[in-house]
């Protein structure tokens, strides 16, 4: 693994595990990691024997994934760069959503920003009590989320709770996420590996075509919202002075002063 992060692929029988690994930055996702995640999803598609995919963060990072590596945003020069970024990440996460077999997210620690987007791309989410979920960009960066993330979040958490969480830039804990329906089960840290293993084994015993069919129905139900156009909104946010101030403040460990410009 280099300082650009890694996505390790671990195979055990019919189960593939994808490990998001960037420990020094709480497993924040880098450009290289997005590419590796897409490559792993294509590898899954080419393997007829895989029956379950598990996605988790590197334990040394003490997080599932703490968003995109904010250092990359210093490369942006205008709103068009933000639109291109959202399209690029959206294409990678579409690969995850298109995986034909069930995807289980093992969450231990923060799943925020891009980490949240990956988590809600899973079919089943299992979390430890110390896990948190959210996208506090209204407080930290001043950028925006694409329509498909907002729509999928609403389908998992409910529209009212999702919007309240986003508009107040609040993180929710594992128990609230469980009550709302985003998290399937909350399991102590020492037991979560075994619990996910049990789920994977149960899935492996199920009818593959039925599982693939259920996933395809879910994709078709979600497809309508993917046609919503929002590049103008993304371009305005990513091209704003507020976004540049947010990135600078985040990297400096200070609090941005929003101007609305």
């Amino acid at each position: 693994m280099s300082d650009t992060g890694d996505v390790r692929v671990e195979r055990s029988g019919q189960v593939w595990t994808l490990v998001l690994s960037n420990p020094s930055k709480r497993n924040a996702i880098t450009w290289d990691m997005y590419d590796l995640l897409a490559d792993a999803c294509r590898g899954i598609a080419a393997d007829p024997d895989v029956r379950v995919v598990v996605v988790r963060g590197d334990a040394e990072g003490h997080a599932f994934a703490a968003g995109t590596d904010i250092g990359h945003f210093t490369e942006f020069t205008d709103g068009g760069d933000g639109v291109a970024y959202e399209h690029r990440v959206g294409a990678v996460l579409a690969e995850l959503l298109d995986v034909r077999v069930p995807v289980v997210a093992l969450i231990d620690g923060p799943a925020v920003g891009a980490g949240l987007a990956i988590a809600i791309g899973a079919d089943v989410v299992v979390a430890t009590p110390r896990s948190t979920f959210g996208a506090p960009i209204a407080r930290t960066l001043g950028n925006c989320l694409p329509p498909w993330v907002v729509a999928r979040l609403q389908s998992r958490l409910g529209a009212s709770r999702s919007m309240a969480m986003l508009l107040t830039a609040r993180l929710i804990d594992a128990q609230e996420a469980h009550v709302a329906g985003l998290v399937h089960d909350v399991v102590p840290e020492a037991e979560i590996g075994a619990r996910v293993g049990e789920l994977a084994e149960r899935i492996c015993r199920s009818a593959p075509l039925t599982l693939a069919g259920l996933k395809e129905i879910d994709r078709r139900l979600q497809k309508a919202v993917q046609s919503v156009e929002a590049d103008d909104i993304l371009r305005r946010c990513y091209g704003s002075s507020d976004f540049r101030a947010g990135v600078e403040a985040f990297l400096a460990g200070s609090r941005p002063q929003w101007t609305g410009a």
Side-chain angles (χ1 to χ4, degrees), residues 30-238:
T30 64
W31 293 161
D32 285 349
M33 289 171 69
Y34 281 120
D35 291 341
L36 289 169
L37 180 59
D39 288 344
C41 291
R42 287 190 283 268
I44 293 163
D47 185 344
D49 296 324
V50 63
R51 298 288 295 277
V52 184
V53 173
V54 176
V55 184
R56 66 175 180 86
D58 189 324
E60 293 185 9
H62 304 290
F64 178 73
T68 294
D69 186 339
I70 304 303
H72 288 316
F73 292 151
T74 62
E75 305 166 7
F76 289 10
T77 59
D78 57 29
D81 289 332
V83 173
Y85 156 74
E86 292 292 356
H87 286 191
R88 176 181 180 178
V89 173
V92 172
L93 296 180
E95 299 264 14
L96 181 63
L97 290 169
D98 285 345
V99 168
R100 71 183 187 283
V101 300
V103 177
V104 180
L106 187 164
I107 313 294
D108 184 19
V112 299
L116 175 67
I118 293 172
I120 63 176
D123 302 297
V124 180
V125 178
V126 182
T128 63
R130 65 183 174 188
S131 300
T132 54
F133 302 83
I137 54 176
R139 171 169 51 82
T140 57
L141 293 177
N143 57 335
C144 197
L145 298 177
W148 78 266
V149 171
V150 176
R152 193 162 179 89
L153 187 61
Q154 289 180 350
S155 74
R156 295 298 191 263
L157 276 179
S160 178
R161 192 187 303 264
S162 296
M163 292 308 295
M165 182 187 76
L166 295 173
L167 296 176
T168 62
R170 185 173 70 91
L171 299 181
I172 66 172
D173 62 23
Q175 187 58 39
E176 182 175 352
H178 177 51
V179 171
L182 170 60
V183 171
H184 167 65
D185 201 1
V186 180
V187 184
E189 294 93 305
E191 302 173 15
I192 192 167
R195 176 63 174 135
V196 169
E198 292 170 2
L199 285 172
E201 183 179 348
R202 185 181 183 90
I203 291 169
C204 285
R205 294 196 303 265
S206 299
L209 292 180
T210 298
L211 300 182
L214 291 170
K215 287 202 61 169
E216 180 59 24
I217 288 170
D218 181 57
R219 273 191 290 268
R220 293 182 186 185
L221 289 170
Q222 295 286 323
K223 184 172 284 188
V225 301
Q226 295 176 9
S227 63
V228 172
E229 174 58 50
D231 283 2
D232 57 327
I233 299 170
L234 297 172
R235 184 174 290 105
R236 181 180 182 186
C237 288
Y238 278 102

